[in-house]
């Protein structure tokens, strides 16, 4: 009887060990398969991300893909306090080096880019890889122009072209020809109007592109909300970031405010809007109380 019990226990123990060993063998055989499946999943994810980037560059930043308006975002985007923009893999849009007009107020209007002297028929190239968002004509503005959204989050605008040689929704690589230099639209001579924007906010192209040296200024540009147009503003914002403070807050404190005249605007309305006296508005803008305000005119308000 005792021997029978011992034999039963031994058989049960042997069966348990066998099951355990076979289970471990199964797990051992399964492990390489799991690793392969994970590798396949990773490759599939990478392909999916690349496919989405090709269809919709910087899709994690922008709320939409709009082929109708250059400045299509307004309050629909949440602009971060700071963002690092990769500038490697660039191509200078033109080999010409002479800047004829800088970014900032000009003739009481805001000039949102750089004008580079080019000649009619000169090749204009895409600055980075990206997808063409707009190919349009604007008689009183950009003339024939191209807008490209890039994988790094930037959008670039190429204005006053004589010919556009890309189509909307076409994917281009850095250095691909996108148009020919011209003198179309609101232009007084052949040149390239070149703008760089991030989520609609203007970045002075000179902070990123050195046209005289035909190179980029830095490999990666630190975008700071509100501190990308003027040198004095950017210097203060970068100093704030270095000391551990918010560069965006510092930029807002030191900002020079401008107002673009719209229909119905008066000096009184603008003074109330920006909390500045009419006399001060006249002084900093070199105008009189009796000066006629023109729609589209830009006034400094601080």
């Amino acid at each position: 009887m005792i021997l029978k019990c011992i034999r039963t226990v031994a058989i049960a123990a042997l069966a348990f060990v066998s099951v355990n060993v076979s289970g471990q063998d199964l797990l051992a055989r399964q492990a390489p398969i799991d690793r392969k499946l994970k590798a396949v999943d990773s490759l599939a994810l990478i392909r999916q991300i690349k496919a989405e980037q090709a269809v919709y560059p910087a899709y994690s930043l922008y709320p939409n893909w709009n082929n109708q308006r250059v400045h299509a975002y307004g309050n629909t985007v949440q602009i971060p306090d700071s963002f690092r923009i990769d500038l490697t893999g660039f191509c200078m849009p033109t080999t010409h080096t002479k800047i004829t007009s800088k970014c900032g107020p000009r003739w009481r209007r805001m000039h949102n880019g750089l004008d580079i002297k080019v000649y009619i028929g000169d090749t204009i190239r895409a600055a980075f890889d990206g997808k063409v968002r707009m190919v349009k004509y604007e008689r009183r503005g950009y003339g024939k122009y191209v807008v490209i959204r890039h994988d790094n989050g930037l959008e670039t605008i190429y204005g006053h072209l004589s010919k556009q040689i890309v189509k909307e929704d076409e994917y281009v690589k850095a250095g691909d020809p996108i148009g020919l230099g011209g003198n179309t639209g609101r232009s007084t001579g052949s040149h390239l109007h070149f703008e760089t924007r991030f989520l609609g906010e203007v970045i002075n192209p000179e902070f990123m592109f050195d046209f005289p040296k035909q190179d980029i200024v830095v490999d990666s540009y630190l975008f700071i909300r509100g501190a990308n147009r003027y040198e004095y503003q950017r210097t203060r914002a970068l100093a704030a970031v270095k000391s551990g403070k918010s560069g965006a807050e510092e930029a807002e404190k030191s900002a020079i405010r401008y107002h673009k005249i719209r229909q119905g605007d008066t000096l009184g309305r603008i003074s109330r809007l920006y909390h500045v006296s009419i006399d001060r508005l006249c002084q900093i803008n070199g105008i009189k109380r009796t000066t006629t305000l023109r729609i589209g005119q830009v006034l400094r308000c601080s």
Side-chain angles (χ1 to χ4, degrees), residues 3 17 19-20 63 73 75 78 88 120 128 133 137 173 187 222 225 229 240 260 301:
L3 290 172
V17 169
V19 169
N20 192 35
Y73 312 113
N75 296 324
Q78 185 69 37
T88 57
I120 295 173
F128 302 98
R133 185 164 69 82
Y137 173 71
K173 303 291 286 183
S187 172
L222 180 61
R225 178 166 49 83
R229 192 192 293 262
K260 189 174 183 178
C301 301

Side-chain angles (χ1 to χ4, degrees), residues 68-278:
Q68 301 305 312
R69 298 178 57 210
V70 176
H71 316 304
Y73 312 113
N75 296 324
T76 63
V77 290
Q78 185 69 37
I79 300 178
D81 283 352
S82 63
F83 186 85
R84 183 69 67 174
I85 301 172
D86 180 15
L87 300 183
T88 57
F90 77 101
C91 177
M92 298 299 290
T94 174
T95 56
H96 289 281
T97 59
K98 184 178 180 181
I99 296 172
T100 57
S101 186
K102 292 181 176 285
C103 183
R106 182 184 69 173
W107 307 324
R108 295 184 180 174
R109 289 179 177 272
M110 191 58 68
H111 188 233
N112 291 318
L114 285 182
D115 287 349
I116 302 102
K117 179 61 183 175
V118 300
Y119 297 93
I120 295 173
D122 285 346
T123 302
I124 308 300
R125 302 180 184 276
F128 302 98
D129 294 355
K131 191 172 183 180
V132 179
R133 185 164 69 82
M134 296 183 67
V135 178
K136 291 280 191 295
Y137 173 71
E138 191 177 272
R139 185 169 65 88
R140 294 186 178 181
Y142 292 117
K144 291 182 179 179
Y145 66 96
V146 171
V147 180
I148 305 176
R149 183 182 296 172
H150 303 286
D151 297 330
N152 61 8
L154 281 177
E155 287 196 326
T156 50
I157 303 168
Y158 311 78
H160 307 306
L161 305 173
S162 61
K163 184 178 181 180
Q164 301 128 311
I165 54 178
V166 287
K167 297 178 181 178
E168 289 181 354
D169 299 326
E170 179 181 340
Y171 195 84
V172 294
K173 303 291 286 183
D176 283 352
I178 59 166
L180 303 179
N183 186 30
T184 58
R186 186 171 182 163
S187 172
T188 56
S190 60
H191 69 281
L192 171 67
H193 174 83
F194 180 61
E195 283 185 33
T196 47
R197 292 176 178 259
F198 177 73
L199 294 171
E201 183 169 321
V202 171
I203 301 177
N204 187 336
E206 286 191 285
F207 291 160
M208 295 185 286
F209 290 87
D210 187 332
F211 279 89
K213 292 182 179 178
Q214 288 287 288
D215 199 0
I216 48 174
V217 177
V218 289
D219 286 340
S220 67
Y221 175 80
L222 180 61
F223 170 89
I224 301 174
R225 178 166 49 83
N228 302 284
R229 192 192 293 262
Y230 305 112
E231 186 68 47
Y232 80 93
Q233 223 174 14
R234 183 152 184 82
T235 300
R236 292 181 185 178
L238 287 172
V241 169
K242 193 173 182 179
S243 64
K245 299 177 183 177
S246 168
E249 287 182 10
E250 181 60 33
E252 191 159 347
K253 288 178 190 174
S254 61
I256 296 176
R257 301 189 184 279
Y258 292 90
H259 179 82
K260 189 174 183 178
I261 303 299
R262 299 175 179 84
Q263 190 169 3
D265 278 345
T266 63
L267 287 175
R269 182 179 179 280
I270 295 168
S271 72
R272 291 190 296 273
L273 186 64
Y274 293 93
H275 306 290
V276 58
S277 71
I278 293 177

Side-chain angles (χ1 to χ4, degrees), residues 32-46:
I33 297 172
D34 287 343
R35 284 197 293 271
K36 286 179 182 177
L37 286 173
K38 284 180 182 178
V40 170
D41 287 345
S42 298
L43 287 171
L45 181 60
I46 291 169

Side-chain angles (χ1 to χ4, degrees), residues 12-27:
L14 184 61
F16 176 77
V17 169
S18 298
V19 169
N20 192 35
V21 169
S22 63
Q24 289 177 349
D25 288 343
L26 180 62
L27 288 173

